[in-house]
Amino acid sequence: MPVEVGNVLEGVVTGIANFGAFVQLPGGETGLVHISEVADEYVKDINQFLKVNDRITVKVISVDARGKIGLSIRQARDPGERPFRRRRFEPSFEEKLSRFLKESEEVQQSLRRSLDAKRGGRGSGRRFF
């Protein structure tokens, strides 16, 4: 099936870069979904929306003379369809542990400062001559 502007196809994400995602289309051709064509909302990190091997529906928005294929996820949706949303990733155990240790250290430092202030901080407060 030749790829033509306006076609809506299903493809598989084969690679992700800062600027977009590479999608393999039926027939073995590869196109690029630019980061601005991923979702209706601002996309800072494409990894929050897509991952390698995701099956996605895309619309062909351009084919240049050199054969580069421009794709869009945003434009492939029907107007009444739910917008493409970012994924909610569960942090790994290591990330949770790291966050816990950092927060614990901050709480302990705060408690130490508070205790030092109650003790007087600069000595016992009583001086004998």
Side-chain angles (χ1 to χ4, degrees):
M1 166 193 247
V3 176
E4 296 175 2
V5 175
N7 287 359
V8 176
L9 307 166
E10 188 169 303
V12 178
V13 177
T14 57
I16 294 180
N18 294 351
F19 52 84
F22 295 97
V23 179
Q24 184 169 8
L25 302 170
E29 294 177 298
T30 300
L32 174 72
V33 177
H34 189 267
I35 194 167
S36 65
E37 292 293 332
V38 171
D40 291 329
E41 62 184 280
Y42 175 72
V43 179
K44 182 174 183 178
D45 181 10
I46 196 166
N47 293 299
Q48 293 179 336
F49 290 82
L50 296 171
K51 64 179 181 171
V52 175
N53 294 325
D54 278 353
R55 282 199 160 281
I56 58 173
T57 303
V58 294
K59 181 176 182 178
V60 180
I61 57 173
S62 68
V63 179
D64 72 7
R66 295 185 317 206
K68 288 187 177 181
I69 303 169
L71 305 170
S72 173
I73 296 171
R74 285 188 316 128
Q75 296 178 34
R77 302 187 291 112
D78 292 328
E81 193 178 338
R82 259 186 38 214
F84 196 60
R85 296 278 181 210
R86 88 180 62 190
R87 298 169 181 266
R88 302 290 182 213
F89 290 107
E90 181 67 26
S92 69
F93 174 75
E94 288 79 15
E95 291 169 332
K96 288 179 181 178
L97 180 62
S98 175
R99 188 177 325 127
F100 171 77
L101 291 173
K102 181 182 176 193
E103 290 171 0
S104 302
E105 183 61 31
E106 290 169 357
V107 168
Q108 286 181 1
Q109 286 178 353
S110 174
L111 288 172
R112 281 188 208 114
R113 275 188 246 119
S114 174
L115 214 70
D116 287 345
K118 288 179 183 175
R119 288 184 186 157
R122 291 190 176 184
S124 65
R126 295 180 111 182
R127 295 188 184 198
F128 299 100
F129 295 98

